């Protein structure tokens, strides 16, 4: 495996899940694979879980780790081609990327959507430059359109907490005070479609996710109807994806507070478990009583980020 971006990259999910459970039993079993190998983690955006879990996973596998915060301690990087660099950006990615590749064996990249140019974001312009010019295996630590490490961890968590063979899993939009990217819901939809679950997406009209990710998943605009009988509720805000109206891309076109997940919402479910990728805005996405309830599994979900990343890095080390 040279790249990890989409669910197809991981291969058969049953095998990936079996590896995840194996690693969870012994996190240091494959430490020999990373001996004298170096992972470079490149952050264009802030991070807590991704940074900590990825670094821990790499260390578990015996790797050295270099962390580069592009916006704190590095030259400001230009990402566009054909520009006259007479502003505050001193170095171009086209030189920076191959230099980074000289110092490591594998690269993880975190770069969010700008939410102003849909074509630029959905082309994964920054990530694809790393894949093309670094000469190293590259995996996504959240990009403009996807967050596969999170979705893989979500699937591991659902597998651990499900009480029926084929659970009903609902991805629900919830309100937020800021415009957020679609990366988490995109990947969650993609991975749930590939898994053996009854998957439903619910959101206000106009917030339709890109068909590339949501595919033929059942979209239900009535949130209560969507929640009925659900085993898992995955709450997440996303800004307008611009699918039905390109001019709305990246904008907040709904602040409907009735979509906040509270105790009444959870009462519509089949004693459903509450999930969220974190960080979460309490009172907007979810109420205190729900996220602090016994049915909230956000902490085990976050813990599984170490496991999902371990599987990915292990696969890449095996192919070096």
């Amino acid at each position: 495996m040279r790249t990890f971006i989409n669910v197809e990259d991981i291969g058969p999910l049953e095998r990936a899940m079996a590896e995840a459970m194996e690693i969870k039993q012994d996190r240091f079993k494959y430490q020999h694979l990373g001996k004298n190998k170096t992972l470079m983690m490149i952050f264009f955006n802030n991070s807590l879980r991704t940074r900590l879990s990825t670094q821990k996973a790499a260390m578990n596998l015996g790797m050295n780790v270099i962390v580069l915060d592009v916006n704190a301690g590095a030259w400001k990087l230009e990402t566009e081609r054909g520009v006259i660099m007479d502003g505050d950006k001193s170095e171009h990615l086209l030189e920076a990327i191959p230099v980074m590749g000289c110092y490591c064996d594998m690269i993880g990249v975190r770069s969010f959507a700008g939410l102003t140019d849909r074509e630029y974001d959905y082309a994964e312009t920054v990530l694809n430059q790393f894949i093309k010019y670094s000469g190293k295996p590259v995996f996504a630590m959240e990009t403009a359109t996807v967050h596969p490490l999170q979705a893989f961890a979500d699937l591991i968590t659902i597998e651990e907490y499900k009480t029926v063979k084929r659970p009903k899993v609902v991805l629900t939009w919830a309100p937020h005070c800021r415009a957020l990217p679609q990366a988490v819901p995109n990947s969650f939809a993609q991975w749930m479609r590939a898994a053996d679950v009854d998957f439903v997406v619910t959101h206000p009209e106009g917030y339709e996710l890109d068909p590339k990710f949501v595919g033929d998943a059942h979209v239900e605009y009535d949130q209560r109807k969507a929640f009925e009988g659900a085993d898992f509720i995955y709450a997440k805000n996303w800004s307008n994806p611009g699918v039905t109206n390109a001019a709305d891309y990246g904008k907040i076109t709904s602040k409907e507070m009735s979509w906040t997940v509270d105790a009444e919402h959870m009462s519509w479910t089949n004693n459903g478990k509450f999930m969220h990728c974190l960080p979460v805005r309490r009172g907007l996405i979810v109420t205190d009583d729900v996220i602090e309830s016994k049915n909230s599994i956000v902490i085990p979900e976050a813990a599984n980020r170490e496991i999902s990343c371990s599987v990915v890095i292990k696969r890449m080390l095996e192919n070096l």
Side-chain angles (χ1 to χ4, degrees):
M1 187 166 70
R2 290 282 299 180
T3 59
F4 177 71
I5 305 168
N6 299 304
V7 66
E8 295 86 1
D9 297 326
I10 203 70
L13 281 183
E14 285 189 8
R15 181 184 164 199
M17 294 298 292
E19 282 186 56
M21 298 310 169
E22 178 190 23
I23 286 172
K24 199 160 188 177
Q25 291 299 313
D26 183 356
R27 297 167 198 240
F28 306 101
K29 182 176 181 179
Y30 296 100
Q31 199 170 52
H32 61 282
L33 291 175
K35 185 178 180 181
N36 298 328
K37 299 291 192 302
T38 299
L39 167 66
M40 182 174 288
M41 299 164 57
I42 300 165
F43 291 89
F44 290 84
N45 302 91
N46 295 336
S47 174
L48 190 151
R49 276 147 297 278
T50 297
R51 178 167 181 163
L52 297 178
S53 62
T54 305
Q55 188 164 356
K56 180 66 164 64
M59 292 167 64
N60 290 352
L61 289 162
M63 298 190 79
N64 302 311
V65 181
I66 299 172
V67 179
L68 176 64
D69 290 310
V70 171
N71 297 316
W75 298 113
K76 289 188 177 181
L77 296 176
E78 178 59 65
T79 62
E80 298 276 7
R81 280 181 168 274
V83 298
I84 297 174
M85 293 175 58
D86 58 356
D88 64 343
K89 296 177 180 178
S90 305
E91 186 161 8
H92 202 288
L93 269 184
L94 294 179
E95 287 79 58
I97 290 172
V99 168
M100 295 175 193
C102 294
Y103 306 141
C104 65
D105 300 281
M106 186 185 307
I107 298 175
V109 181
R110 183 176 177 92
S111 178
F112 290 176
L115 296 179
T116 57
D117 184 337
R118 190 180 195 280
E119 184 178 352
Y120 181 89
D121 287 344
Y122 273 71
E124 289 292 3
T125 307
V126 173
L127 178 69
N128 283 325
Q129 289 186 77
F130 276 92
I131 293 170
K132 186 174 182 179
Y133 298 114
S134 70
K136 304 296 180 180
V138 175
F139 63 90
M141 301 192 301
E142 188 169 2
T143 71
T145 68
V146 292
H147 198 349
L149 291 172
Q150 179 65 55
F152 187 10
D154 297 334
L155 182 57
I156 294 169
T157 309
I158 289 170
E159 184 66 24
E160 290 179 319
Y161 282 87
K162 70 181 185 181
T163 57
V164 295
K165 183 177 180 181
R166 193 169 189 270
K168 180 177 179 180
V169 179
V170 177
L171 169 63
T172 181
W173 179 93
H176 203 281
C177 56
R178 296 179 56 213
L180 299 183
Q182 299 97 43
V184 169
N186 281 345
S187 279
F188 188 74
Q190 189 182 53
W191 283 69
M192 290 304 108
R193 285 174 50 225
D196 186 19
V197 302
D198 176 13
F199 180 53
V200 179
V201 183
T202 185
H203 54 71
E205 292 193 37
Y207 270 77
E208 290 78 12
L209 295 169
D210 193 300
K212 174 182 177 181
F213 301 104
V214 77
D216 59 356
H218 178 204
V219 177
E220 174 56 64
Y221 296 106
D222 184 329
Q223 192 186 29
R224 178 165 187 159
K225 187 174 180 181
F227 274 46
E228 289 176 355
D231 300 289
F232 295 91
I233 298 296
Y234 197 104
K236 184 70 180 78
N237 174 267
W238 59 91
S239 61
N240 197 303
V243 173
T244 57
N245 184 356
D248 287 335
Y249 176 64
K251 296 180 180 177
I252 299 174
T253 51
S254 176
K255 293 184 179 180
E256 183 52 64
M257 292 297 292
S258 66
W259 285 74
T260 300
V261 179
D262 59 15
E264 180 183 357
H265 285 71
M266 295 303 292
S267 73
W268 305 335
T269 72
N270 180 33
N271 194 33
K273 299 291 191 292
F274 177 81
M275 301 179 70
H276 189 278
C277 60
L278 302 179
V280 64
R281 298 267 185 156
R282 293 185 178 214
L284 288 175
I285 301 290
V286 61
T287 55
D288 289 350
D289 55 347
V290 170
I291 198 168
E292 294 177 14
S293 74
K294 62 181 178 59
N295 279 18
S296 173
I297 55 174
V298 297
I299 303 305
E301 180 185 0
N304 277 330
R305 290 291 307 279
E306 177 188 344
I307 306 305
S308 65
C309 194
S310 295
V311 174
V312 170
I313 295 176
K314 170 185 173 287
R315 293 276 188 92
M316 288 189 160
L317 285 170
E318 289 172 336
N319 285 281
L320 285 179

